[in-house]
């Protein structure tokens, strides 16, 4: 089977836009990039957009009255509108951060800051007796900030388990989400298991109790159509660099009435109303959360990435990756001595495939793959508690994106076999 | 963008200086440059003694600190709105706001905007739009406030505005 | 006089590296960019370095074991070393943030976070009775975070005044800095007045009482040689985008023993030691303060900017700007109806010249200048309390950099005169 | 990088399994991959009964979980250091650390490092350097700890190591 048969997306053609994909590694091996879950590669169109901003329109946005400043501001705000539209949101609901991690911290700190902020921010207060709910499959970025919020405020952290099959365990949903719950922070798609979580169910339950829901969409927005109105969450966060965009930019989407009620996180220039030497008032969102000269060129680059993805069509991206993932699950899953950590069927899961190879440490698997030009990730993938849950120290992870091909999957399978041969394990050993 | 009309209003502003009585007052600041306006509105209830859209904007006065655009815009506002009903005034406000966001394209309605069409050029300079709108936003707030106030009784408003 | 006479720096030649400086604005006027205090332009060398990273070495740093990840990590850490050397520091003392604003917030939040962090962070605790000292000339970025720290902890904010001449008023130094002082946060160079502050005097006094000193070097590091060991401060912060580097990257330098004693600010991946579902430990600095996939391409770009500035020579940059500033102070200062806000002599001041033109609002001055192709900034420049101090709502600010010429200053003078003619004020009106 | 010596030690590790008695123990984790080592050191005081650099590393034992490189490196470490004085061992540690940061350039001292020279290839893979160093860093901590412990009296150490 080749991707052509799908008739949806021509990966070979798209690859031409990614200069880096034609390079070689380790003594002339063609690069097979299977680490898009960590960070994606960027097409020429994105790099060009960013450079064009620097070479033609560069100025500090929202701060000048000259032509360059106007053009820069226009570019920045047009980018916000494009990115908002990409997730079905309004421009004023989109806050730029440096990455997903900052976006999550922003919400967590807004909650602790509300303790000393005015009454108008009372909605976000949290303290002893209140609960924050996460899951065992969270990336550290969606776990540690909530641990720290609990530490600062005296609130209690609780968590969903995951099943042996790699699914969110909703068995104790009714017990976990209750009248004490202030916020539920949950991965939309796991960066290890690939699992796409049944977030609507959790959101509905949380909203019964007036609890907020934040979705960590770092691994979903790049790979499937996401519409914030349809999902019904309160906050949604993602990073530019995982979706063909530049590094150094991330997004916090929030319901406008919630953003309006949130005290600021990082303070400084451009986020203020009036400033006196001993006190200040705040601008409206999104400015309230964007202190300092922002990453305007990166915003423009991310908007170009959204345009690129929209031109391909997010439905096509999803369908193509679904086919590719199904193929990979079958091929990798069929290998003797290989155990996939995560759902082995392609339903409600994305193209992230983590696995262990019997008797070979992931570092060693990764090394042998690297020697053959395959770039995978090894380790706990910033999800240490999840690995503990499956009694593994580390896994090897291959993560697919729209520029990967069925041939890449074949190369992965060959690579794993080579590792088994090298270490004298697996079939035939 | 500096139309002669704008410069005229800037040099000789109309209705500047706060006046009594008033039904509503609003103070607005432009956070990017610190410009300020304090603006007062006096309404005269309709013949049915209602403080609704049919009431008359019988007086607008203001005090302000700011650039030529924000000063002239406040002055033109008072000329345009004093004497109109609240409904008519809101229509002018909408038209003015729309023009300011037009980036200089489209034909502003001169019948509605009168002298205020001179500001169409400002809409091409995004950083100045806030200057032009400052007094208008304050007027809107002060008017909404006025409509929620106790009617001071027919006629008062007009007397106060004299 | 032309810059050639200095024999130090050939601005005309350097300008060729800045594509944007050859563009025109407003109906074909050549651009005269006098807004480098807001953000600088970027030379080709910086943009090329960033692009090369994306096209050749892009991967998530510190997270992969494949060749690209190694190259990306090497590039990122080599950039850290270059940037550290640029300010006379060691690599492990340099933390990357998204901008100066985040760097200041990092320190301020570390102080409030230490309340609930372990005993090993006790050095940073602050509360009622303790004092934080700033100055009236601070940028909002170095004022509002400290107001908020005081709000969160109950500490008291105090501030230095400025003199009529635009200098830091040290008259009450002994009273302001005392045994209650926990930290002094001070601009190294003012972004409005241009004043270079006598930071050594303040540092010496603060250290008498064991208080920390943070220098806001956003306006000094781009314009003069800065050596953190010579200065003797405890923390120093600056932004890449003001020193020919990319947007989206800033630096916190800190004494290593202080960084080691600081609890984290933003938490998430890559900044951890061990993570359990309900608790975590921290990595050593600088990683402790760099949660999430970092802005590696921007770090590489900033290192290229440092290399560019080092090749020109920071002493040359300072000397050239000093000459240019002297010329500008003389020419602008000589105009009737123009008042410079800030020192009128060139000693201990940089090339930032803020002024008011009698009877013309800065917005209108800026507009007339813009019509002639001159990009200046108008407003309060994120220093509202300072403007209040001088009884002005706003000023017009021209800020110079190494690519500005004496002809640019002449154009500014002509532009101001044109504004005066247009509004019928000033000489001859 | 997978030299035959490394694979041999990986497949048949020496001195693996924690032993008693011990003077110091350290537990190290590699935060990027979760690999762990627990390592114990036993010292025999010098003839002057001093627990200083002249003491002998009479035993090293460990338990670990990790990749081939970290396993083999722990095994090689025990072969090399058991029987050397602390001073000599520290010299081996320094030499090994230097080699690991050499990026594969320079000649490691085979007289000092013996079998451990096989790890020179690992130094070309920055992500694996931590793996190779994990046991060595743990050994250093455990040894420093041992030197601060109460001498258990001459001979004990060697007996314990048997
Ligand atoms: C003195 C000073 N401090 C802080 C800042 C804030 O820098 P950034 O906006 O890059 O965070 C600036 C510039 O805006 C500045 O001039
Ligand atoms: C599910 C998930 N959440 C959060 C993050 C953190 O994203 P970033 O490092 O861009 O902040 C990642 C990726 O690293 C992720 O995969």
């Amino acid at each position: 089977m080749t991707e052509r048969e799908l008739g949806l997306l021509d990966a070979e053609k798209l690859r031409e836009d990614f200069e880096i994909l034609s390079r070689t590694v380790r003594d002339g091996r063609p690069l097979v990039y299977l680490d898009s879950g960590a960070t994606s590669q960027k097409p020429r169109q994105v790099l060009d957009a960013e450079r064009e901003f620097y070479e033609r329109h560069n100025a500090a946005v929202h701060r000048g009255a000259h032509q360059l400043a106007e053009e820069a501001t226009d570019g920045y705000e047009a980018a916000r509108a494009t990115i908002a539209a990409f997730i079905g949101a309004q421009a004023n609901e989109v806050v730029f951060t440096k990455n997903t991690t900052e976006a999550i911290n922003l919400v967590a700190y807004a909650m602790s800051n509300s303790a000393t902020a005015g009454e108008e921010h009372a909605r976000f207060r949290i303290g002893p007796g209140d609960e924050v709910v996460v899951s065992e499959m969270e990336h550290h970025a969606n776990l540690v900030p909530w641990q720290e919020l609990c530490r600062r405020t005296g609130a209690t952290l609780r968590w969903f388990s995951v099943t042996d099959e790699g699914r969110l365990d909703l068995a104790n949903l009714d017990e976990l989400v209750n009248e004490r719950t202030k916020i539920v922070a949950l991965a939309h798609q796991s960066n290890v298991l690939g699992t796409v979580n049944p977030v609507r169910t959790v959101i509905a339950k949380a909203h019964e109790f007036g609890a907020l829901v934040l979705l960590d969409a770092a691994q979903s927005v790049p790979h499937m159509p996401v519409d914030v109105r349809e999902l019904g969450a309160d906050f949604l966060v993602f990073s530019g660099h995982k979706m063909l965009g530049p590094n150094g930019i991330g997004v916090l989407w929030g319901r406008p009435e919630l953003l309006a009620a949130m005290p600021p996180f990082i303070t400084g220039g451009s986020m203020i109303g009036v400033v006196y030497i001993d006190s200040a008032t705040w601008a409206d969102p999104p400015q309230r959360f964007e202190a300092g000269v922002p990453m305007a060129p990166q915003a423009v680059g991310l908007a170009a990435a959204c345009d690129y993805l929209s031109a391909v069509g997010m439905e096509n991206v999803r369908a193509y990756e679904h086919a590719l993932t199904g193929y990979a699950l079958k091929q990798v899953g069929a290998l003797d001595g290989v155990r996939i950590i995560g759902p082995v069927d392609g339903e409600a899961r994305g193209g992230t495939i983590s696995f262990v190879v019997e008797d070979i440490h992931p570092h060693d698997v990764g090394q042998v793959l690297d020697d053959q030009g395959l770039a995978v990730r090894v380790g706990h993938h910033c999800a240490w508690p999840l690995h503990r849950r499956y009694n593994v120290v580390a896994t090897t992870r291959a993560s697919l994106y729209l520029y990967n091909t069925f041939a890449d999957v074949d190369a992965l399978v060959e690579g794993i076999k080579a590792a088994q041969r090298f270490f004298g394990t697996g079939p035939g050993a | 963008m500096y139309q002669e009309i704008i410069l005229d209003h800037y040099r000789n502003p109309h209705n500047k200086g706060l006046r009594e009585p008033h039904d509503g007052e609003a103070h607005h600041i432009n956070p990017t440059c610190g410009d300020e306006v304090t603006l007062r509105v006096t309404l005269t209830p309709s013949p049915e003694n209602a403080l609704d859209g049919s009431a008359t904007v019988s007086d607008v006065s203001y005090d302000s600190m700011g650039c030529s655009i924000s000063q002239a815009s406040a002055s033109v506002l008072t000329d345009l709105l004093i004497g109109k009903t609240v409904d008519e005034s809101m229509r002018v406000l909408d038209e003015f706001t729309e023009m300011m966001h037009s980036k200089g394209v489209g034909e502003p309605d001169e019948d509605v905007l009168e002298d205020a069409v001179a500001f169409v050029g400002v809409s091409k300079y995004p950083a100045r739009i806030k200057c032009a709108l400052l007094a208008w936003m304050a007027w809107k707030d002060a008017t909404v406030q006025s409509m929620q106030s106790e009617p001071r009784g027919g006629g008062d408003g007009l007397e106060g505005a004299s």
Side-chain angles (χ1 to χ4, degrees), chain A residues 26 359 361 363-364 367 370-371 379-380 384 393-394 422-423:
Chain A
R26 304 283 180 228
D359 293 331
H361 190 279
H363 259 181
D364 292 317
Q367 191 82 41
D370 179 40
D371 277 339
H380 51 60
W384 208 327
V393 173
F422 184 81
F423 285 99

Side-chain angles (χ1 to χ4, degrees), chain A residues 99-101 139 141 189 191 216 218-219 239 241-242:
Chain A
N99 51 23
T100 300
T101 305
H139 187 283
Q189 176 173 326
N191 72 313
D216 175 356
Q219 297 288 348
S239 289
H241 69 91
K242 291 190 203 279

